[in-house]
């Protein structure tokens, strides 16, 4: 079976380019007011865009020659090696994993979160997924987010740095916002807003820090001017307001003059790229989830018999969601009913139907062209992933917005964990499979249903297959980190539900220019809930 996969890979190896890789360093950050730090503008593929070169099949000879002349590398048969051993597999899978234990009492109240575990595995170079986690220091609760970028990583990067601040500020009381403003006016240290939990591989845009702080300040100044803001917004209102306000700021920043060329090119790249987002606010009473796009939040619930059930806390915004399809069609004239969605993509191009950035689907064509023309002459638009491209049938923009769907779930004693994942995870696992994997990983118990009367009538070969499947479910976990456990199973599950080392090795050994053809970037965060706290509330 895998021989056919290898043959296909080898056949395509001479037809795809290896993107230039931009490296960067980052630092740990904990309790800081504005940890906006660090890296150059990132480059990457249009992973969710129908116009991606990866999605157009093979290059022509001329394109391949151009790639060679530009210094890019083409994979050859000699580059392909699928003989990864167990140590190499584990090293790849665990390089980005994170485990954080949360104090039961944070000095203000009991925490609804006991710990969280997170991990990422890239397919694009660099990774277009991002993740965030932080404790709200001026209000209650913790925030967790996963962000799936397309058209490069720029938009996902900016949103992962900024969105949690907008949410936290919106929930702050007017008194606390006044303290922030006084500190800024008097040039004193600003009271910290968030306690961040950073992995050493996490990036930040240092050059844009001052811009991000200025616009966050404008946001809280407007809240101070509001007569209704006294005690701060509820989590639901804060999530909704923060999503829409940050997207508006991203659009504005790409249109106004900025202090230097790097900041301007970054702002334009952020706006023209895009990112979906799924953010959870976990408080002592319950969980609010805001989702825009095709990331997903799923609750793991343990039933009375010890089995596990998946409770969806978000809906995917893509063409498989009929309500979402009808919502978008209703926003445009009947004459566009056949063109708004083509080949299950927005205007035949974009898979997620809600997102940050993506101004190609929001601005007028004239505004887009004016902004691109305003860049300094000599700027390489290709290097910034800014292509002179207008989606087909672009008649009545905007076609896209970022308004999130928001759900609320009151915590119960049987609610044990929350999974946040980008669509790369859900492409490989169903919500039910993911919850079962984490539930059995958590309890160490692999429940098996009794052999049914019909199964007892199976032929010998069929019975052998059944036993293989049951044995696979009972295999001990090799990862202490639950997010790593999910990713390992997402890529390495064989025909009987068993972990297949050959399959896993082949998926992890794919060269950077081929990996995106067979899998997407994957980000998973597993939040373990303090269900003992829920028991006290229910008693």
């Amino acid at each position: 079976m895998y021989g056919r996969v290898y043959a296909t890979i080898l056949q395509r190896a001479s037809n795809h380019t290896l993107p230039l890789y931009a490296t960067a360093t980052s630092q740990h950050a904990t309790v800081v007011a504005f940890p906006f730090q660090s890296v150059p503008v990132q480059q990457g593929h249009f992973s969710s865009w129908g116009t991606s070169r990866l999605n157009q099949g093979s290059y022509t000879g001329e394109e391949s020659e151009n790639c060679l002349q530009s210094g890019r590398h083409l994979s050859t048969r000699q580059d392909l090696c699928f003989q990864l051993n167990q140590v190499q597999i584990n090293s790849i899978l665990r390089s980005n994993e994170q485990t954080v234990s949360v104090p039961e009492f944070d000095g203000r109240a009991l925490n609804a979160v006991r710990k969280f575990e997170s991990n990422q595995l890239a397919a694009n170079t660099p990774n277009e997924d991002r993740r965030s986690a932080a404790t709200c220091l001026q209000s209650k609760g913790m925030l967790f987010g996963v962000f799936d970028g397309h058209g490069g990583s720029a938009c996902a990067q900016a949103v992962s740095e900024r969105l949690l601040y907008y949410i936290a500020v919106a929930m702050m009381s007017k008194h606390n916002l006044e303290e922030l403003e006084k500190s800024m006016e008097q040039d004193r240290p600003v009271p910290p807003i968030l306690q961040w939990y950073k992995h050493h591989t996490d990036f930040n845009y240092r050059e844009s820090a001052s811009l991000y702080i200025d616009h966050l300040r404008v946001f809280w100044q407007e809240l101070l001017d509001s007569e209704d803001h006294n005690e701060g917004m509820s989590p639901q209102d804060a999530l909704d307001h923060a999503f829409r306000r940050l997207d508006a700021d991203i659009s504005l920043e790409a249109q106004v003059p900025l202090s230097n060329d790097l900041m301007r090119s970054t702002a334009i790249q952020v706006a023209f790229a895009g990112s979906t987002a799924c953010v959870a606010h976990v408080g002592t009473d319950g969980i609010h989830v805001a989702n825009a796009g095709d990331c997903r939040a799923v609750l793991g619930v343990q039933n009375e018999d010890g089995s596990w059930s998946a409770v969806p806390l978000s809906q995917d915004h893509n063409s498989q969601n009929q309500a979402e399809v009808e919502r978008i069609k209703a926003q445009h004239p009947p004459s566009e009913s056949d063109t708004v969605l083509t080949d299950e993509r927005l205007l035949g191009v974009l898979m997620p139907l809600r997102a940050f950035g993506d101004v190609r689907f929001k601005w007028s064509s004239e505004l887009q062209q004016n902004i691109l023309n305003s860049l300094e002459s000599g700027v390489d638009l290709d290097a910034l992933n800014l292509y002179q491209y207008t989606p087909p049938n672009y008649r009545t923009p905007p076609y896209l917005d970022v308004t999130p769907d928001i759900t609320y779930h009151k915590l119960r004693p049987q609610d044990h964990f929350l999974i946040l994942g980008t669509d790369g995870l859900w492409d490989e696992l169903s919500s039910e499979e993911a919850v079962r994997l984490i539930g059995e990983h958590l309890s160490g118990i692999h429940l098996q249903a009794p052999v049914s009367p019909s199964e007892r009538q199976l032929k010998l070969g069929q019975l052998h297959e059944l036993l293989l499947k049951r044995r696979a479910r009972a295999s001990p976990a090799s990862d202490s980190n639950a997010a790593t456990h999910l990713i390992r199973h997402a890529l390495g599950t064989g025909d009987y539900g068993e972990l297949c080392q050959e399959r896993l090795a082949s998926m992890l050994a794919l060269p950077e220019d081929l990996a995106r053809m067979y899998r997407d970037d994957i980000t998973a965060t597993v939040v373990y809930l303090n269900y003992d706290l829920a028991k006290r509330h229910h008693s």
Side-chain angles (χ1 to χ4, degrees):
M1 180 178 75
Y2 299 105
R4 292 196 299 273
V5 175
Y6 301 161
T8 304
I9 294 170
L10 291 168
Q11 182 179 3
R12 297 181 181 179
S14 62
N15 295 324
H16 292 82
T17 63
L18 174 65
L20 295 174
Y21 184 73
T23 60
T25 58
S26 61
Q27 300 176 354
H28 288 285
T30 52
V31 184
V32 283
F34 304 109
F36 297 125
Q37 302 178 6
S38 162
V39 295
V41 174
Q42 302 295 311
Q43 302 179 34
H45 284 302
F46 290 83
S47 59
S48 294
W49 291 40
T51 54
S52 167
R53 293 176 178 177
L54 277 181
N55 290 331
Q56 292 178 348
S58 302
Y59 282 105
T60 65
E62 180 181 355
E63 289 171 322
S64 297
E65 181 64 25
N66 290 338
C67 291
L68 288 171
Q69 291 176 354
S70 67
R72 299 186 180 189
H73 169 71
L74 298 180
S75 290
T76 65
R77 182 181 297 268
Q78 288 75 20
D79 294 325
L80 304 179
C81 175
F82 300 99
Q83 304 304 312
L84 295 180
N85 60 39
Q86 189 64 49
V87 172
Q88 292 171 313
I89 289 172
N90 289 342
S91 177
I92 294 170
L93 286 176
R94 296 171 182 172
S95 60
N96 294 313
E97 68 180 12
Q98 180 184 28
T99 300
V100 176
S101 295
V102 179
E104 183 177 4
F105 184 76
D106 66 2
R108 298 169 299 160
L110 288 170
N111 274 319
V113 175
R114 295 190 295 114
K115 70 173 180 177
F116 69 91
E117 296 172 337
S118 184
N119 200 355
Q120 293 184 303
L121 180 70
N124 291 290
T125 305
N127 189 355
E128 294 182 350
D129 279 3
R130 294 294 186 269
R131 57 184 171 180
S132 296
T135 295
C136 299
L137 296 175
Q138 304 293 337
S139 59
K140 295 180 180 179
M142 293 186 68
L143 291 166
F144 301 91
V146 293
F147 312 94
D148 187 353
H150 44 266
S153 60
C155 189
Q157 175 61 46
V159 174
S160 70
E161 291 182 49
R162 305 176 68 183
L163 182 57
L164 270 57
Y165 276 115
Y166 279 65
I167 298 167
V169 163
M171 291 191 294
M172 289 171 61
S173 68
K174 181 167 286 190
H175 171 74
N176 288 343
L177 291 177
E178 288 171 346
E179 290 300 312
L180 286 182
E181 183 59 25
K182 287 179 183 177
S183 297
M184 295 289 285
E185 289 176 350
Q186 300 171 10
D187 200 23
R188 293 188 285 109
V190 178
I193 299 171
L194 294 171
Q195 176 179 340
W196 285 89
Y197 303 97
K198 295 280 188 178
H199 189 266
H200 66 85
T201 59
D202 289 346
F203 300 120
N204 283 292
Y205 281 143
R206 179 173 31 220
E207 290 294 334
S208 301
S210 60
L211 175 68
Y212 294 170
I213 293 169
D214 288 345
H215 276 185
L216 183 67
R217 185 181 182 186
V218 171
F219 178 44
W220 79 54
Q221 288 173 337
E222 292 180 8
L223 294 175
L224 282 171
D225 291 338
S226 171
E227 296 180 357
D228 303 326
H229 191 76
N230 296 324
E231 297 305 317
M233 295 183 187
S234 66
Q236 177 167 341
D237 290 341
L239 287 162
D240 179 72
H241 203 71
F243 269 63
R244 291 185 288 111
R245 177 53 182 259
L246 176 56
D247 194 53
D249 282 354
I250 287 171
S251 178
L252 175 64
E253 289 158 9
Q255 300 176 54
V256 299
L258 296 176
S259 59
N260 62 65
D261 291 342
L262 177 58
M263 189 182 296
R264 176 157 176 73
S265 62
T266 300
I268 291 175
Q269 188 181 8
V270 167
F272 276 80
S275 178
T276 63
C278 186
V279 176
H281 176 271
V282 184
T284 54
D285 59 337
I287 303 171
H288 289 85
V289 172
N291 185 57
D294 50 11
C295 295
R296 191 182 302 173
V298 180
L299 187 69
V301 177
Q302 189 166 34
N303 305 312
E304 290 185 2
D305 63 359
S307 61
W308 296 91
S309 296
V311 176
L313 296 187
S314 67
Q315 296 292 322
D316 299 348
H317 296 135
N318 55 30
S319 60
Q320 305 305 308
N321 182 335
Q322 193 57 38
E324 186 70 0
V325 169
E326 296 303 322
R327 180 188 71 85
I328 291 177
K329 287 186 175 181
Q331 295 176 349
H332 300 276
S335 60
E336 295 187 64
S337 60
D338 293 332
T339 58
V340 171
L341 285 164
T342 306
D343 296 329
E344 300 186 337
R345 293 171 181 258
L346 186 65
L347 298 178
V349 178
L350 191 66
M351 290 185 69
L353 302 183
R354 301 190 198 190
F356 283 93
D358 279 323
V359 294
R360 288 198 192 281
F361 301 88
K362 298 174 181 177
W363 292 353
S364 68
S365 298
E366 293 76 16
L367 177 57
Q368 293 180 41
Q369 197 59 52
N370 287 340
I371 295 300
L372 293 178
N373 291 341
S374 71
L375 285 169
E376 293 293 329
S377 60
V379 172
D380 185 355
L381 294 184
D382 280 359
L384 295 179
N385 281 332
L386 298 176
Y387 304 108
Q388 304 285 345
Y389 175 80
T390 300
N393 301 299
Y394 198 75
R395 301 167 186 165
T396 56
Y399 289 89
L400 185 72
D401 65 51
V402 77
T403 303
D405 273 340
I406 300 175
T407 59
Y408 171 71
H409 179 85
K410 184 176 178 61
L411 282 177
R412 306 168 299 174
Q414 60 267 42
D415 301 330
H416 283 246
F417 55 85
L418 173 70
I419 305 173
L420 297 175
T422 55
D423 71 331
L425 177 70
W426 308 114
D427 287 344
E428 310 295 339
L429 291 175
S430 69
S431 298
E432 293 74 18
E433 288 172 325
V435 165
R436 178 185 63 79
L437 283 167
I438 299 302
E440 294 179 352
H441 183 270
L442 177 63
S443 65
I445 299 173
H446 304 268
L447 294 176
Q448 303 278 16
V451 177
S452 66
S454 61
E455 288 173 333
R456 294 193 187 111
Q457 307 303 317
L458 294 175
K459 296 179 180 178
L460 184 58
Q462 295 171 318
L463 188 59
H464 178 67
E465 181 175 326
L466 174 65
L467 292 174
L468 287 174
K469 291 180 179 179
R470 294 168 72 88
R471 181 187 299 171
R473 286 195 56 182
S475 301
S478 57
D479 299 296
S480 59
N481 184 292
T484 308
H485 183 66
L486 278 180
I487 295 174
R488 186 185 296 271
H489 280 264
L491 298 181
T493 299
D495 295 340
Y496 302 113
E498 82 287 6
L499 269 174
C500 176
Q501 288 297 113
E502 185 182 19
R503 174 180 172 82
L504 185 59
S506 67
M507 294 297 284
L508 295 178
L510 288 168
E512 292 166 335
D513 52 334
L514 296 180
R516 186 59 185 88
M517 298 170 58
Y518 293 91
R519 57 181 175 86
D520 197 358
D521 301 325
I522 300 176
T523 296
T525 297
V526 181
V527 181
Y528 294 95
L529 303 171
N530 188 357
Y531 49 88
D532 288 336
L533 182 62
K535 289 178 182 176
R536 294 173 205 160
H537 286 179
H538 278 71
S539 60

